[in-house]
Amino acid sequence: MNQEDDNFYTWITEREKYLQTLTTNSIETGVKFLFTTNSGGAVSILTYLGAIAKNPNNFLILKTSLAFFFIGVLLIGIYHAYVAESYGKIFWDFNKLSKFYILGKIERDEYIKQVEQQAMKYKNHIARIIAYSSFLCFIIGASFGTIGIIT
C-alpha cells in the first residue's frame, strides 16, 4: 500500500466515525426531546385544567390551543425520528460501500462516485417542512392560548 491508499483508508475511517456520531447524536437528541416534551406535557395539562376551571367560557379556544401545541410536539417527534433514520441509512449505506471497496468489489472511482451520490439520495425538503409546520403550530397554539386567557 502506498501513501495515497493510506490517506484514503484514513478518510474512510474518519467518515465512518463521523456518520456514526451523527446517528448516535440524533438518537440521543430524540430521547432528550421525548423526555422534555412528556414532562412539559404534564405541566401543560395541569395549567390547562386550571385555566378551564377559572373561565369555562373559553373552553373551545383553550382546547384548540392545546391541540395545536400537541400537533406541534408530535411533528417535532416525527422530525427527530426522520432525521435519525436518515442519518442511520447514510451510515449503513456508507459502511456497505466501504466494505465493497475494501474487498475489491468496486474500484476507487466508482466508490467515490457512489459516496457522493449518497448525500444527494437523502436530500429533500421533508425535514424542513415538518420543522416549520411544528413552529407554525406553536405560533397558532400560542395565539389561541393568549386569546383564551385574556378574554
Side-chain angles (χ1 to χ4, degrees), residues 56-75:
N57 296 333
N58 292 335
F59 180 74
L60 184 59
I61 291 173
L62 293 172
K63 195 174 182 180
T64 303
S65 174
L66 187 62
F68 274 103
F69 283 133
F70 174 76
I71 292 167
V73 168
L74 184 64
L75 286 171

Side-chain angles (χ1 to χ4, degrees), residues 29-43:
T29 302
V31 169
K32 288 177 187 175
F33 161 78
L34 291 172
F35 176 78
T36 303
T37 54
N38 284 316
S39 300
V43 171

Side-chain angles (χ1 to χ4, degrees), residues 59-133:
F59 180 74
L60 184 59
I61 291 173
L62 293 172
K63 195 174 182 180
T64 303
S65 174
L66 187 62
F68 274 103
F69 283 133
F70 174 76
I71 292 167
V73 168
L74 184 64
L75 286 171
I76 283 298
I78 292 169
Y79 168 82
H80 280 293
Y82 179 81
V83 168
E85 187 66 23
S86 294
Y87 286 153
K89 286 179 182 177
I90 291 169
F91 169 74
W92 288 112
D93 286 352
F94 179 79
N95 189 290
K96 181 180 174 182
L97 271 176
S98 296
K99 285 181 183 175
F100 284 164
Y101 173 73
I102 290 168
L103 294 173
K105 293 183 178 181
I106 58 175
E107 296 295 321
R108 181 180 294 195
D109 291 340
E110 180 62 23
Y111 172 78
I112 292 170
K113 178 182 169 188
Q114 288 188 31
V115 167
E116 289 171 352
Q117 288 174 349
Q118 278 181 343
M120 300 309 290
K121 182 178 175 183
Y122 297 104
K123 185 177 181 179
N124 59 49
H125 298 290
I126 294 171
R128 182 177 291 136
I129 290 168
I130 294 170
Y132 281 117
S133 296

